[in-house]
Amino acid sequence: MAASDPEKLMIKADKLTKLSLTRWSADWKSAIGLYEQAANGFRLAKNYEKAKAAFEKASRGQEMLSSPWDAAKHMESAAALAKELSNWSEVADFYRRASELYIECGRSQPASDALAKAHSYEIKYGILILPYFSVLEDTAPDEAIRLYIDACEILEEDGKEQMAFDLYRAATSVYIKLEKYDDAATFLLRLGLAADKCNATHSQCKAYLSAIIVYLYANDFKQAEKCYNDCCQIDAFLSSDQIRCASKLFSAYTDADVEEIKRVAQSSTVKNLDHMIIRLAKKLPTGEVSALKAEQEEALDEDDLT
């Protein structure tokens, strides 16, 4: 019974890692096994703080043995326990470290996943595992965005853009929550570029239309128009349902036709976009479209005089 006492296991493991007159080198291999046992014992007892510390030490031991994969696994276990303790800064730090260790192994996918997990936690009911629910998005949104961007960049560098699609969308969602609409649209265009590289034409065109809607929601018609014109240079977009939808939106804005804007914003093409974009589209128009029409008519009059 005493041998399974996690407190005693930790003491024994610590002794194995310290040099003395009788021990000239640390026995990390034996110590790791004891740290793992102690961590599991503490976790069963719901002493998450001590379980976390034990996994940290086990991870350190695996690093000393040049085993970054196992070190990363232990670091993820420590991060999961930090979540239980609502220590969000440690959650981010541990998952980031796990990602670095996975990169050492040349494993880009788990490295990216580890970063994504830094701002999400898993909810379990019996055998049912629900999707990850964002944590840092509410408590530290800027850190959440940074982690999403890091995860995307890892996959981009490895030529695995398609695996990052959900990460692009998640980052966009956070930007929208923060009302950083320029950043949200920019990230959607980045998603479009990644989709282009993967020949994911449908996702590409949806991303472009989404970016246009974000600009319109932000009442930045000029930027929306510029985005539309830039996207029209892309062959895939020119033959899509999304360009037809965007064109109808611009025509409605130009005519200051509020009812038509609302109708197009609730069309089936828009309803097939991500929920965060659908919610914005339902609120269009956000600005005074009659003033926009007057500005355009004034600009046309000036052109006639030149």
Side-chain angles (χ1 to χ4, degrees):
M1 200 64 181
S4 61
D5 182 341
E7 297 281 6
K8 292 183 177 179
L9 290 170
M10 288 292 288
I11 292 171
K12 186 175 180 180
D14 286 341
K15 286 181 178 178
L16 292 173
T17 65
K18 294 175 182 175
L19 304 184
S20 67
L21 292 174
T22 58
R23 183 180 296 107
W24 291 12
S25 61
D27 185 358
W28 282 106
K29 186 174 181 180
S30 299
I32 290 167
L34 295 172
Y35 284 136
E36 290 170 345
Q37 291 179 55
N40 290 326
F42 284 131
R43 186 161 53 185
L44 285 172
K46 295 188 177 181
N47 190 334
Y48 298 133
E49 188 64 48
K50 289 188 175 180
K52 174 173 64 70
F55 275 122
E56 282 186 81
K57 290 187 175 184
S59 178
R60 174 59 178 158
Q62 295 290 3
E63 284 190 71
M64 296 299 291
L65 295 179
S66 300
S67 181
W69 173 267
D70 292 318
K73 288 293 184 183
H74 287 318
M75 194 56 69
E76 286 201 86
S77 295
L81 291 163
K83 288 179 184 177
E84 295 288 345
L85 295 165
S86 299
N87 191 333
W88 310 124
S89 62
E90 280 196 345
V91 170
D93 288 343
F94 291 157
Y95 275 126
R96 183 173 292 280
R97 180 57 188 148
S99 178
E100 291 169 354
L101 290 164
Y102 283 129
I103 290 172
E104 282 187 37
C105 308
R107 302 294 295 275
S108 61
Q109 183 60 55
S112 175
D113 291 343
L115 285 176
K117 288 177 188 175
H119 61 285
S120 61
Y121 66 85
E122 204 171 29
I123 303 173
K124 296 184 180 181
Y125 294 101
I127 61 171
L128 177 63
I129 300 178
L130 300 179
Y132 286 122
F133 176 77
S134 297
V135 175
L136 290 186
E137 288 180 8
D138 296 323
T139 58
D142 289 333
E143 176 66 8
I145 288 172
R146 187 166 67 88
L147 292 170
Y148 276 136
I149 292 172
D150 286 350
C152 288
E153 287 177 351
I154 288 171
L155 291 172
E156 287 171 351
E157 289 172 6
D158 211 34
K160 297 178 179 177
E161 285 87 354
Q162 191 159 8
M163 293 181 180
F165 284 7
D166 287 341
L167 297 173
Y168 291 118
R169 295 185 183 104
T172 300
S173 178
V174 181
Y175 278 132
I176 288 173
K177 288 178 185 176
L178 294 175
E179 298 183 358
K180 294 183 176 181
Y181 301 116
D182 281 346
D183 291 325
T186 298
F187 224 76
L188 283 165
L189 294 173
R190 184 170 168 179
L191 167 57
L193 179 60
D196 184 31
K197 291 180 180 178
C198 303
N199 295 318
T201 304
H202 191 56
S203 294
Q204 178 185 7
C205 295
K206 286 172 64 176
Y208 293 153
L209 175 59
S210 296
I212 291 166
I213 289 172
V214 169
Y215 282 127
L216 290 175
Y217 178 82
N219 202 27
D220 191 344
F221 185 82
K222 289 183 179 178
Q223 193 60 42
E225 193 172 41
K226 180 180 183 302
C227 180
Y228 173 79
N229 290 334
D230 289 343
C231 292
C232 284
Q233 305 303 310
I234 299 167
D235 291 340
F237 191 60
L238 283 174
S239 58
S240 69
D241 292 336
Q242 287 75 24
I243 192 175
R244 286 186 281 275
C245 180
S247 179
K248 289 177 183 177
L249 271 176
F250 281 111
S251 294
Y253 267 89
T254 301
D255 295 338
D257 190 337
V258 173
E259 290 306 313
E260 178 65 5
I261 292 170
K262 290 181 178 180
R263 188 191 69 78
V264 177
Q266 295 182 43
S267 64
S268 59
T269 303
V270 174
K271 287 180 179 179
N272 281 324
L273 301 176
D274 292 317
H275 291 302
M276 58 187 170
I277 304 301
I278 295 171
R279 284 195 293 270
L280 298 185
K282 284 180 179 178
K283 298 176 183 178
L284 294 178
T286 54
E288 183 54 60
V289 293
S290 58
L292 173 65
K293 183 178 182 181
E295 287 178 15
Q296 291 182 324
E297 289 176 347
E298 184 179 339
L300 287 172
D301 291 340
E302 289 177 359
D303 289 341
D304 290 340
L305 293 173
T306 57

